[in-house]
Amino acid sequence: MRSNVGNHGNGAAMEARHTSRLTPHASPPGFSRRHFLAALGVLALPLPAVAGLPRRTLLAAAADDDGPFFEAVNGGVPLRLPTRGHGMLPIPGSDELILVARRAGFWLSRVNWRTGAEIKRIAPAPGRHFYGHAILSPDGATLYTTENDIERGAGMVGVYDAASLARRGEFPSHGIGPHELYWLVPGKTLAVANGGILTLPQSGRDKLNLATMEPSVAILDMPSGALLARYALSDHTLSLRHLARTTDGTLGGAVQAESPDGRDVTDTPLLAILRDGALTLAEHLPGWGGYAASVAAAGNVFIATALQGDAILLWRSDGAFLGEVGLQRPAGIAVDGERVYVSNELGLIAELDIARRRLAPLATRAGVKWDNHLVVV
């Protein structure tokens, strides 16, 4: 089932196969360019107020042509970042977040997103690099990061004091190229998406083991890090990077497909689901490409962004396809209760109405390429 939505008309065009028109909504009250923390840094966009709920703000990593920086919402002096940022981890009860460098990354920063101040920046331990994501323990005291043991090419989970960012230790991710972490049972059971792709600092982002890559989802006992279970798809070229979980407990993994000879992949399934002790592929239709930039869950619905297929895709938690909404080069997704927000690589931030299969634009910034993630705080 394919939904029909149309052009925003501002350069963030919807795919031509979707023919009806979007009615652009006005920007939220108080919005201005100063709310964008852009250029390889972060956007902070106040969201429309909802009666009875605290005011919320949307955060997004981004890139443009001006070099890396993080700019305060109130227009303070931009904070320059050394390379592109990726995963964002808000610190509960504060205006702070952990920002992790894109793989292969060599910095991690604690930042006040409201003022733009960098509180602390650390480098990885010798012989390690970051893989773009981190997660907090339920009590907020411990930070876990995905890392690479460069000499062995083995995935590791780094353990840090969340306040000081002092390193406490590490344990194996039980795979190659770990990326996103997700609590299945907070503090007790951790899922790790091992992308299966070996990269090394001396070769940049070149993928060194495409013929033998080993993607998996590892389930770890915490805090020991002991392996409880490991799941893999029969097709070893389907790399799993990002994770989400539906209300009924189904874990979804966004697929970023590779080919053994390094050619672009034009058509593969884009969602894997871990359900009832088995990792399987969700239903798919031709034309979506081979790259799901992000995945999220709203109730028992999975949402993924098909970057090459110019579509936002929807599935039930059992993998049955529900429909799509056309959007050129979609990227990040954030879910806040019943509200869903998406971004794309052409500067658009929009709210997605799942039931009506419609997008309502919130803001656009020409020349900005939003990264794979959105976060609501």
Side-chain angles (χ1 to χ4, degrees), residues 305-321:
T305 45
L307 185 72
Q308 299 162 339
D310 296 330
I312 303 163
L313 309 175
L314 308 172
W315 294 267
R316 282 199 322 241
S317 61
D318 63 2
F321 181 58

Side-chain angles (χ1 to χ4, degrees), residues 8 10 25 27-28 31 36 45 347-350 360-365 370:
H8 182 235
N10 58 5
H25 290 196
S27 296
F31 173 78
F36 285 98
L45 173 63
L348 177 68
I349 302 286
L362 296 177
T364 303
R365 185 170 183 179
W370 302 121

Side-chain angles (χ1 to χ4, degrees), residues 2 15 17 235 237-239 254-259 263-271 281-293 304-313 315 324 327 329-330:
R2 298 199 175 205
E15 167 105 287
R17 66 175 180 253
D235 186 344
T237 67
L238 302 181
S239 180
V255 171
Q256 296 181 10
E258 304 290 346
S259 62
R263 290 181 298 174
D264 288 341
V265 178
T266 58
D267 188 28
T268 66
L270 292 185
L271 179 71
L281 292 169
E283 184 180 354
H284 76 284
L285 298 179
W288 291 343
Y291 186 99
T305 45
L307 185 72
Q308 299 162 339
D310 296 330
I312 303 163
L313 309 175
W315 294 267
E324 71 179 78
L327 176 64
R329 304 292 294 180

Side-chain angles (χ1 to χ4, degrees), residues 61 85-89 97-102 132-134 179 371 373 375:
H86 187 65
M88 296 167 293
L89 178 63
L97 61 83
I98 300 294
L99 180 62
V100 189
R102 184 191 190 200
H133 282 273
H179 196 66
D371 204 283
H373 298 290
V375 175

Side-chain angles (χ1 to χ4, degrees), residues 37 44 55 57 70-75 94-96 111-117 377:
L37 313 184
R55 189 63 182 262
T57 299
F70 184 102
E71 181 181 328
V73 177
N74 62 6
S94 75
D95 293 336
E96 298 175 9
V111 174
N112 185 308
W113 59 261
R114 194 176 295 277
T115 67
V377 293

Side-chain angles (χ1 to χ4, degrees), residues 13-27:
M14 311 302 174
E15 167 105 287
R17 66 175 180 253
H18 309 291
T19 56
S20 67
R21 291 277 176 179
L22 272 173
T23 302
H25 290 196
S27 296

Side-chain angles (χ1 to χ4, degrees), residues 1 182 243-253 271-273 275 282 294-305 312-325 333-340 342 352-357:
M1 181 174 64
Y182 195 97
L243 299 172
R245 198 180 192 197
T246 52
T247 302
D248 65 9
T250 304
L251 187 69
L271 179 71
I273 56 172
R275 182 183 175 98
S294 190
V295 65
N300 284 324
V301 175
F302 283 116
I303 310 158
T305 45
I312 303 163
L313 309 175
L314 308 172
W315 294 267
R316 282 199 322 241
S317 61
D318 63 2
F321 181 58
L322 295 175
E324 71 179 78
V325 179
I333 313 167
V335 176
D336 185 28
E338 296 182 355
R339 309 190 80 144
V340 180
V342 296
L352 171 65
D353 185 327
I354 291 179
R356 299 172 66 190
R357 309 287 196 267

